[in-house]
Amino acid sequence: MNILLIGSGGREHALAWAISNSALLTRLYAAPGNAGIAAVADLVDLDAADHQAVTAFCKANGIDLVVIGPEAPLVAGLADDLAAAGIKAFGPSQAAAQLEGSKAFTKGVCDAAGIPTAAYARFSNPDDAMTYVREKGAPIVVKADGLAAGKGVVVAETLPQALDAVQNCFDGQFGDAGAEVVIEEFLAGEEASFFVLSDGAHVLPLATAQDHKRAFDGDQGPNTGGMGAYSPAPVMTEERIAETLDRIIKPTIKTMAARGTPFKGVLYAGLMITGDGPKLIEYNTRFGDPECQVLMMRLKDDILTLMLACVDGTLDKVSARWFDEAAVSVVLAAKGYPGSYKKGTEIRGLDAFADDPDIEIFHAGTRLDGDRLLAAGGRVLNVTALGSNVQEARDRAYAAIERIDWPDGFCRSDIAWRAVKSRQD
Ligand code: AMP
Ligand code: GLY
C-alpha cells in the first residue's frame, strides 16, 4: 500500500516508524515531515490546509490511505474531502472531530449520554460569565471554547485570576477560539489519559500511556504540549479502564453514531480520577504527542492493519497486542520552551543509537542543513526507550540523553516518576 502521512511532530515520526515496519507498506510519503521522518519516508512539500492539493497528490501517486496526525486538519475537514474523492483516511470527519474542536460540543455529548464530567456553563459575553464565576467562587476552571494549542485553559485558584481569565478570553487572547467561554467546576484528583481506536461502532482499547504536561520537574511550571510520556500507566487500573469504557467511551461512540456522525479514528480521553471514579476533562481526536511515541514502541501488531480496520468498520475482527516491556519517552526541548527559544542550533551525536533496538530517537522540530541536524521548534527530540520495567526504560532514556550533544536543549529529569514510585510503594 502507498501511504501519505500528514504532520511533522514526534507523534508523526513514531507513526512513520511504525508504518515503515508494516508488512502492508509499499511506499510512505510524509507532508511536510521532518529530518527524522525523512529517514523512513519521502517528504512532500504539501500544505495540509490545501485539501485540493492533497487530493491531487493522492490521485497522482496512487495513495491507498492518508494518515492524519494532528488535530487541525481533522477539524478543517480533510478526512471528509478525501472521502468525497474516494480516498481512505485514518482520522475522524470534521463533524466527529468537534469532540476536540469544541469543548461546548463535547459537554453537549456528555449531557446527552450521561457521561461523568465537571459541571459547567457556557457564555458568549463577559458580564454573564463573570457573574457566574463570582457566584461559584474559586478554584474554578476557565476555558476558551475552540482550539488554542492547549493554552486556552486557566485553572484559577483565586477569584481575581478567574475574572482575569474571562476578560482575556473575551479580549481576544485566543482569537476566535475564545469567542465563547466554558466555565467548569474544578475537579481534584490524579490526571490520566486513555486511548481507544473506534471504527464508529466498535471500540478497541489501546495500551495505557501517560504524559507530563508541565514544563519542569515535579510537574511544575507552565503547561506544554507534553514533556515526556510512559506506558503502561499504573494509574489506569483494570477497574478504571472498565469504568472509563462503560461510562465514558462507549456512550460517546454510541451518541456520535446515533447523531449520524460516527467517530472513526483515535479517541483520546483526558480524565481526572476523582473520589467518584474517572471523569472526562476533555477529548482529543488524535494520538497524544508524546504518548504515541511510547505506544508505537510497545505495539506488537501491524499499525496499518489497525488503521484500516478503523476505516473499514472491521475493528471487531482485529486485536492490538503489546510487548510486556515498558516504554519511556523524554522530550528534549529548546531552552526557553514553552516561552521564546532559539531556532537553528546544531544537534550532534544521534548516529550512536542507530543499531540499538531499545532506543528510538523520534524527531519533532528538526531540519537538515546539508549534513547538519538543526533544531527547528520548541519540542525537538523524543528520546524513547524500552526496558523490562519502567525504571530500566527510564534509565536507558536518560543514559541516551547524556550522549546527545545539544547544549541548547533541556529536558525534565523526572519523566515517569509516578510509575517508578508506584513500583516502589
Ligand atoms: P484541557 O485542555 O481541557 O485538557 O485542560 C488542560 C489542563 O487543565 C488539564 O490537563 C488539567 O490539568 C486542567 N483542567 C482542565 N479542566 C479541569 C477541571 N475541570 N478541573 C481541574 N483541572 C482541570
Ligand atoms: N500530550 C498531550 C497531547 O497530545 O495533547
mmCIF file of all heavy atoms in Angstrom, residues 103 118 141 143 150 153 155 184-188 191 213 223 272 281-282, ligand 1:
data_model
loop_
_atom_site.group_PDB
_atom_site.id
_atom_site.type_symbol
_atom_site.label_atom_id
_atom_site.label_comp_id
_atom_site.label_asym_id
_atom_site.label_seq_id
_atom_site.Cartn_x
_atom_site.Cartn_y
_atom_site.Cartn_z
ATOM 1 N N LYS A 103 -15.130 22.485 22.972
ATOM 2 C CA LYS A 103 -15.377 21.966 24.326
ATOM 3 C C LYS A 103 -16.878 21.974 24.627
ATOM 4 O O LYS A 103 -17.385 21.081 25.304
ATOM 5 C CB LYS A 103 -14.602 22.791 25.346
ATOM 6 C CG LYS A 103 -13.091 22.639 25.166
ATOM 7 C CD LYS A 103 -12.308 23.299 26.263
ATOM 8 C CE LYS A 103 -10.805 23.311 25.960
ATOM 9 N NZ LYS A 103 -10.169 21.994 25.900
ATOM 10 N N ALA A 118 -17.047 17.454 34.615
ATOM 11 C CA ALA A 118 -17.207 18.586 35.525
ATOM 12 C C ALA A 118 -18.473 19.354 35.164
ATOM 13 O O ALA A 118 -18.790 19.524 33.982
ATOM 14 C CB ALA A 118 -15.990 19.504 35.400
ATOM 15 N N VAL A 141 -12.409 26.672 36.730
ATOM 16 C CA VAL A 141 -11.624 26.493 35.504
ATOM 17 C C VAL A 141 -12.283 27.267 34.364
ATOM 18 O O VAL A 141 -13.490 27.144 34.145
ATOM 19 C CB VAL A 141 -11.512 24.985 35.162
ATOM 20 C CG1 VAL A 141 -10.646 24.773 33.931
ATOM 21 C CG2 VAL A 141 -10.922 24.216 36.352
ATOM 22 N N LYS A 143 -12.166 28.109 30.276
ATOM 23 C CA LYS A 143 -11.648 27.542 29.030
ATOM 24 C C LYS A 143 -12.180 28.284 27.813
ATOM 25 O O LYS A 143 -13.387 28.515 27.705
ATOM 26 C CB LYS A 143 -12.084 26.071 28.889
ATOM 27 C CG LYS A 143 -11.625 25.194 30.019
ATOM 28 C CD LYS A 143 -11.987 23.734 29.783
ATOM 29 C CE LYS A 143 -11.370 22.883 30.880
ATOM 30 N NZ LYS A 143 -11.530 21.438 30.640
ATOM 31 N N GLY A 150 -3.701 23.935 23.314
ATOM 32 C CA GLY A 150 -3.501 23.508 24.707
ATOM 33 C C GLY A 150 -3.321 24.665 25.680
ATOM 34 O O GLY A 150 -3.077 24.453 26.859
ATOM 35 N N VAL A 153 -6.751 27.069 28.537
ATOM 36 C CA VAL A 153 -7.371 26.659 29.804
ATOM 37 C C VAL A 153 -6.661 27.333 30.972
ATOM 38 O O VAL A 153 -5.444 27.281 31.058
ATOM 39 C CB VAL A 153 -7.281 25.123 29.976
ATOM 40 C CG1 VAL A 153 -7.799 24.688 31.340
ATOM 41 C CG2 VAL A 153 -8.055 24.429 28.868
ATOM 42 N N VAL A 155 -6.697 27.153 35.070
ATOM 43 C CA VAL A 155 -7.201 26.606 36.331
ATOM 44 C C VAL A 155 -6.959 27.700 37.363
ATOM 45 O O VAL A 155 -5.838 27.905 37.817
ATOM 46 C CB VAL A 155 -6.455 25.303 36.700
ATOM 47 C CG1 VAL A 155 -6.975 24.738 38.017
ATOM 48 C CG2 VAL A 155 -6.597 24.266 35.585
ATOM 49 N N GLU A 184 -15.932 25.782 34.204
ATOM 50 C CA GLU A 184 -16.118 24.445 34.757
ATOM 51 C C GLU A 184 -15.794 24.377 36.226
ATOM 52 O O GLU A 184 -14.869 25.042 36.695
ATOM 53 C CB GLU A 184 -15.116 23.496 34.089
ATOM 54 C CG GLU A 184 -15.630 22.795 32.909
ATOM 55 C CD GLU A 184 -14.635 21.762 32.415
ATOM 56 O OE1 GLU A 184 -13.809 21.239 33.179
ATOM 57 O OE2 GLU A 184 -14.707 21.500 31.221
ATOM 58 N N GLU A 185 -16.481 23.476 36.861
ATOM 59 C CA GLU A 185 -16.160 23.075 38.233
ATOM 60 C C GLU A 185 -14.722 22.537 38.267
ATOM 61 O O GLU A 185 -14.308 21.827 37.352
ATOM 62 C CB GLU A 185 -17.148 21.954 38.586
ATOM 63 C CG GLU A 185 -16.836 21.115 39.757
ATOM 64 C CD GLU A 185 -17.616 19.780 39.709
ATOM 65 O OE1 GLU A 185 -18.240 19.442 38.679
ATOM 66 O OE2 GLU A 185 -17.574 19.077 40.718
ATOM 67 N N PHE A 186 -13.949 22.869 39.305
ATOM 68 C CA PHE A 186 -12.601 22.335 39.481
ATOM 69 C C PHE A 186 -12.696 20.905 39.995
ATOM 70 O O PHE A 186 -13.379 20.628 40.974
ATOM 71 C CB PHE A 186 -11.826 23.204 40.471
ATOM 72 C CG PHE A 186 -10.514 22.620 40.888
ATOM 73 C CD1 PHE A 186 -9.412 22.704 40.045
ATOM 74 C CD2 PHE A 186 -10.383 21.961 42.105
ATOM 75 C CE1 PHE A 186 -8.188 22.155 40.423
ATOM 76 C CE2 PHE A 186 -9.162 21.406 42.492
ATOM 77 C CZ PHE A 186 -8.073 21.506 41.652
ATOM 78 N N LEU A 187 -12.031 19.979 39.306
ATOM 79 C CA LEU A 187 -12.019 18.587 39.744
ATOM 80 C C LEU A 187 -10.684 18.283 40.408
ATOM 81 O O LEU A 187 -9.634 18.544 39.804
ATOM 82 C CB LEU A 187 -12.182 17.642 38.542
ATOM 83 C CG LEU A 187 -13.484 17.721 37.752
ATOM 84 C CD1 LEU A 187 -13.403 16.786 36.538
ATOM 85 C CD2 LEU A 187 -14.678 17.345 38.631
ATOM 86 N N ALA A 188 -10.721 17.722 41.607
ATOM 87 C CA ALA A 188 -9.481 17.338 42.281
ATOM 88 C C ALA A 188 -9.236 15.858 42.042
ATOM 89 O O ALA A 188 -10.176 15.077 41.986
ATOM 90 C CB ALA A 188 -9.601 17.623 43.773
ATOM 91 N N GLU A 191 -4.623 13.052 37.270
ATOM 92 C CA GLU A 191 -4.994 13.030 35.847
ATOM 93 C C GLU A 191 -4.543 11.739 35.188
ATOM 94 O O GLU A 191 -3.519 11.170 35.558
ATOM 95 C CB GLU A 191 -4.340 14.195 35.122
ATOM 96 C CG GLU A 191 -5.181 15.431 35.177
ATOM 97 C CD GLU A 191 -4.594 16.533 34.324
ATOM 98 O OE1 GLU A 191 -4.590 16.389 33.090
ATOM 99 O OE2 GLU A 191 -4.145 17.528 34.906
ATOM 100 N N LYS A 213 2.442 17.143 31.361
ATOM 101 C CA LYS A 213 2.144 18.374 30.619
ATOM 102 C C LYS A 213 2.991 19.563 31.055
ATOM 103 O O LYS A 213 3.255 20.462 30.271
ATOM 104 C CB LYS A 213 0.674 18.742 30.801
ATOM 105 C CG LYS A 213 -0.268 17.782 30.112
ATOM 106 C CD LYS A 213 -1.584 18.452 29.747
ATOM 107 C CE LYS A 213 -2.438 17.568 28.873
ATOM 108 N NZ LYS A 213 -2.983 16.400 29.590
ATOM 109 N N ASN A 223 2.040 24.887 31.376
ATOM 110 C CA ASN A 223 1.623 23.755 30.548
ATOM 111 C C ASN A 223 2.357 23.785 29.217
ATOM 112 O O ASN A 223 2.629 24.847 28.663
ATOM 113 C CB ASN A 223 0.123 23.835 30.268
ATOM 114 C CG ASN A 223 -0.666 22.975 31.231
ATOM 115 O OD1 ASN A 223 -0.192 21.922 31.665
ATOM 116 N ND2 ASN A 223 -1.857 23.415 31.578
ATOM 117 N N MET A 272 -9.906 12.861 34.845
ATOM 118 C CA MET A 272 -9.499 13.116 36.225
ATOM 119 C C MET A 272 -10.035 11.949 37.028
ATOM 120 O O MET A 272 -11.233 11.638 36.947
ATOM 121 C CB MET A 272 -10.084 14.445 36.728
ATOM 122 C CG MET A 272 -9.507 14.888 38.048
ATOM 123 S SD MET A 272 -7.760 15.323 37.946
ATOM 124 C CE MET A 272 -7.838 17.015 37.367
ATOM 125 N N ILE A 281 -12.306 15.110 31.362
ATOM 126 C CA ILE A 281 -11.905 16.527 31.296
ATOM 127 C C ILE A 281 -12.046 17.020 29.864
ATOM 128 O O ILE A 281 -12.563 18.090 29.600
ATOM 129 C CB ILE A 281 -10.447 16.728 31.756
ATOM 130 C CG1 ILE A 281 -10.275 16.333 33.217
ATOM 131 C CG2 ILE A 281 -10.044 18.177 31.567
ATOM 132 C CD1 ILE A 281 -8.838 16.495 33.698
ATOM 133 N N GLU A 282 -11.525 16.236 28.937
ATOM 134 C CA GLU A 282 -11.590 16.669 27.537
ATOM 135 C C GLU A 282 -11.352 15.471 26.630
ATOM 136 O O GLU A 282 -10.826 14.445 27.061
ATOM 137 C CB GLU A 282 -10.511 17.711 27.233
ATOM 138 C CG GLU A 282 -9.117 17.146 27.382
ATOM 139 C CD GLU A 282 -8.037 17.912 26.635
ATOM 140 O OE1 GLU A 282 -8.338 18.923 25.994
ATOM 141 O OE2 GLU A 282 -6.880 17.456 26.666
HETATM 142 P P1 AMP B 1 -7.771 20.646 28.778
HETATM 143 O O1 AMP B 1 -7.110 21.421 27.671
HETATM 144 O O2 AMP B 1 -9.246 20.787 28.854
HETATM 145 O O3 AMP B 1 -7.251 19.247 28.913
HETATM 146 O O4 AMP B 1 -7.176 21.305 30.104
HETATM 147 C C1 AMP B 1 -5.783 21.429 30.319
HETATM 148 C C2 AMP B 1 -5.436 21.043 31.724
HETATM 149 O O5 AMP B 1 -6.180 21.857 32.660
HETATM 150 C C3 AMP B 1 -5.832 19.620 32.068
HETATM 151 O O6 AMP B 1 -4.880 18.714 31.670
HETATM 152 C C4 AMP B 1 -5.971 19.718 33.563
HETATM 153 O O7 AMP B 1 -4.694 19.686 34.187
HETATM 154 C C5 AMP B 1 -6.548 21.069 33.779
HETATM 155 N N1 AMP B 1 -8.019 21.025 33.884
HETATM 156 C C6 AMP B 1 -8.903 21.137 32.880
HETATM 157 N N2 AMP B 1 -10.171 21.046 33.322
HETATM 158 C C7 AMP B 1 -10.085 20.869 34.661
HETATM 159 C C8 AMP B 1 -11.063 20.725 35.704
HETATM 160 N N3 AMP B 1 -12.372 20.773 35.462
HETATM 161 N N4 AMP B 1 -10.606 20.551 36.965
HETATM 162 C C9 AMP B 1 -9.282 20.538 37.235
HETATM 163 N N5 AMP B 1 -8.320 20.688 36.310
HETATM 164 C C10 AMP B 1 -8.708 20.854 35.031
#
